[in-house]
Amino acid sequence: MSTPPLTVPHTEAAPALDLLTVPQVMAHLQLGRSAVYDLLRSGQLASITLGRARRIPAHALTDFIRTRLEQEAA
């Protein structure tokens, strides 16, 4: 008898965290690889490192865009 796969329910207290790859961020921002890594290195765009992989939380990309829009409007 096999056991059912382990599932973690998503609740309001623990929303799903979407992580984007650098190429996905490149596509969203229509920027090159070097420009995205410059944003990561300067801290303008938040990220986490998992092993050797760099991942950008979707909310960090949204926050970055919102901040830039606010700066442009000022």
Side-chain angles (χ1 to χ4, degrees):
M1 177 180 253
S2 65
T3 59
L6 178 63
T7 59
V8 178
H10 296 289
T11 64
E12 289 297 318
L17 181 63
D18 293 329
L19 297 175
L20 305 172
T21 64
V22 170
Q24 289 172 321
V25 173
M26 289 167 52
H28 281 350
L29 296 178
Q30 297 182 354
L31 291 174
R33 182 180 175 92
S34 296
V36 172
Y37 276 106
D38 286 344
L39 293 172
L40 295 171
R41 197 173 2 268
S42 68
Q44 295 179 62
L45 184 57
S47 69
I48 61 171
T49 304
L50 302 170
R52 295 181 64 195
R54 183 69 69 112
R55 296 292 182 261
I56 298 90
H59 71 84
L61 181 59
T62 303
D63 292 346
F64 169 75
I65 293 169
R66 184 179 301 115
T67 300
R68 292 300 299 250
L69 286 170
E70 289 170 358
Q71 289 173 351
E72 294 289 323

